[in-house]
């Protein structure tokens, strides 16, 4: 592609992005959201299809996308990322004196064993956790918070909760309870029960 052609394409793409941004801004001002725009476009292009599942799935994905930067900023302010916070929080909520195996951490954090091992390596290098053989079975490793890890997660958790409160502030307590119940029903329906 020539430089001139690339410039025209970039200009078209920028125009399309600006048009899409303007449409989203107009939709927001009118009390509709980005997903409403997507649904309207699909209705226009494929009226033969029921696109109503996109109203839920699209919003769940969009919410995750919009909420992630605020969560990352909170974690970063404590020298953490989401994965490190997850491991430390899992250990903390099980009790500061309780030791968990990597398999228990994996089940609780819903990640692969390789990912847990990498997370644990980084946290141990920072002095936030310890790993030691189980006193009853030397083949099993037990993971626990160090005093530094406990202090870090206890300091980060209130800020994390404040971030979540801010992200959910558009909903009333009753709406939050209803949403939590609906999401729980969906998770259980997908087999995510204990």
């Amino acid at each position: 592609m020539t430089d001139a052609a690339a410039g025209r394409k970039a200009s078209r793409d920028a125009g399309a992005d600006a048009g899409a941004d303007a449409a989203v801004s107009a939709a927001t001002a009118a009390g509709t959201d980005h997903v409403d725009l997507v649904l309207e476009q699909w209705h226009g292009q494929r009226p033969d299809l029921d696109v109503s599942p996109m109203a839920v799935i699209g919003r769940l994905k969009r919410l995750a996308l919009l909420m992630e930067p605020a969560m990352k900023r909170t974690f970063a302010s404590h020298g953490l990322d989401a994965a490190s916070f997850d491991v430390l929080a899992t250990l903390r909520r099980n009790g500061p004196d309780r030791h968990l195996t990597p398999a228990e951490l994996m089940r609780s954090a819903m990640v692969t064993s390789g990912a847990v091992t990498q997370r644990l390596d980084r946290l141990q290098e920072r002095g936030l956790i310890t790993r030691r053989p189980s006193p009853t079975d030397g083949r099993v490793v037990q993971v626990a918070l160090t005093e530094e890890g406990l202090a870090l997660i206890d300091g980060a958790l209130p800020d994390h909760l404040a971030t979540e409160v801010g992200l959910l502030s558009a909903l009333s307590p009753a709406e939050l309870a209803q949403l939590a119940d609906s999401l729980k029903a969906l998770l259980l329906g997908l087999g995510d029960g204990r």
Side-chain angles (χ1 to χ4, degrees):
M1 178 180 303
T2 68
D3 288 343
R8 285 192 303 273
K9 181 180 182 322
S11 179
R12 279 194 313 270
D13 290 348
D17 288 346
D21 289 345
V24 170
S25 295
T28 302
T32 59
D33 65 10
H34 178 77
V35 177
D36 287 327
L37 175 64
V38 170
L39 294 172
E40 183 180 321
Q41 290 170 330
W42 276 121
H43 285 301
Q45 296 301 310
R46 291 297 309 267
D48 57 308
L49 294 177
D50 174 14
V51 296
S52 62
M54 290 182 183
V56 175
I57 303 296
R59 285 186 173 98
L60 288 172
K61 290 172 72 174
R62 187 112 175 115
L63 284 167
L65 179 71
L66 293 172
M67 292 178 170
E68 186 177 9
M71 308 270 277
K72 281 184 175 181
R73 281 191 300 275
T74 300
F75 297 142
S77 72
H78 293 275
L80 297 169
D81 58 18
S84 299
F85 178 87
D86 188 30
V87 170
L88 296 177
T90 299
L91 289 166
R92 180 64 177 102
R93 72 176 180 261
N94 279 280
D97 299 325
R98 175 123 190 269
H99 297 78
L100 297 178
T101 67
E104 290 169 324
L105 280 168
M106 183 179 67
R107 281 192 297 275
S108 183
M110 298 180 293
V111 294
T112 65
S113 59
V116 166
T117 300
Q118 291 173 357
R119 290 178 190 185
L120 294 179
D121 288 345
R122 288 193 302 263
L123 292 170
Q124 188 170 17
E125 287 171 11
R126 292 182 57 192
L128 301 174
I129 62 156
T130 60
R131 287 188 278 195
R132 66 176 191 207
S134 166
T136 58
D137 184 349
R139 298 169 297 169
V140 176
V141 174
Q142 294 181 328
V143 181
L145 290 169
T146 63
E147 287 185 24
E148 293 84 1
L150 178 61
L152 180 60
I153 193 61
D154 278 351
L157 186 59
D159 290 344
H160 172 65
L161 291 170
T163 298
E164 290 184 333
V165 167
L167 291 169
L168 298 171
S169 64
L171 299 178
S172 71
E175 289 169 323
L176 286 172
Q178 183 180 7
L179 178 60
D181 287 345
S182 295
L183 292 172
K184 178 181 177 181
L186 182 57
L187 285 168
L188 291 173
L190 293 172
D192 196 45
R194 301 195 278 160

